[in-house]
Amino acid sequence: MSIWIRKATIAVEDRRFFEHGGVDVEGIARAAVTDIKAGRIVEGGSTITQQLVRNLYISRERTVQRKLKEACLATKLDRAHTKPWILTTYLNQIYYGNQAYGIEAASQTYFSKPAKELRLTESALLAGLTQAPSIFNPFTNAPRALARRAEVLRAMVDTGVITQRKFARA
């Protein structure tokens, strides 16, 4: 798959992916503060590894017990596998909307091309879908999908993955 989908996904989903052991305590604390300020849940603190664990092994119920189980399993998964394996597995199974599970299906569904040929802007659009595929569906809500793509591109600038100039061109 294209390097851009990997970089875009990490920038928007888990900026510290290569720095934590499956659970990002700093990210959880940041999300909790944001949620408290908003008075509702507006930001998740789950890492890519935690999301993979949730999708593969446990339910999506919103309980403290499930979250603790998810954190324990994410730590174990992080110890058992490399970061590239975790990221590739995540990208190959995550839901992108429109019956597209995995990056190859998403690339074919939205761009009619293999995932290895995805360009920066295409990758940013797909990385943005995973948060809420129906809300950011480019087929039914192009303005929202493009706004979300811009958020992903901004996250890529913020994390140093792309330059401001590349962002402006995109």
Side-chain angles (χ1 to χ4, degrees), residues 6 22 46 75-76 81 125:
R6 295 172 189 272
S46 293
T75 301
K76 285 183 179 181
H81 297 284
L125 184 116

Side-chain angles (χ1 to χ4, degrees), residues 69-82:
K69 186 178 192 180
E70 178 184 291
C72 289
L73 289 171
T75 301
K76 285 183 179 181
L77 189 71
D78 192 79
R79 288 181 184 147
H81 297 284
T82 65

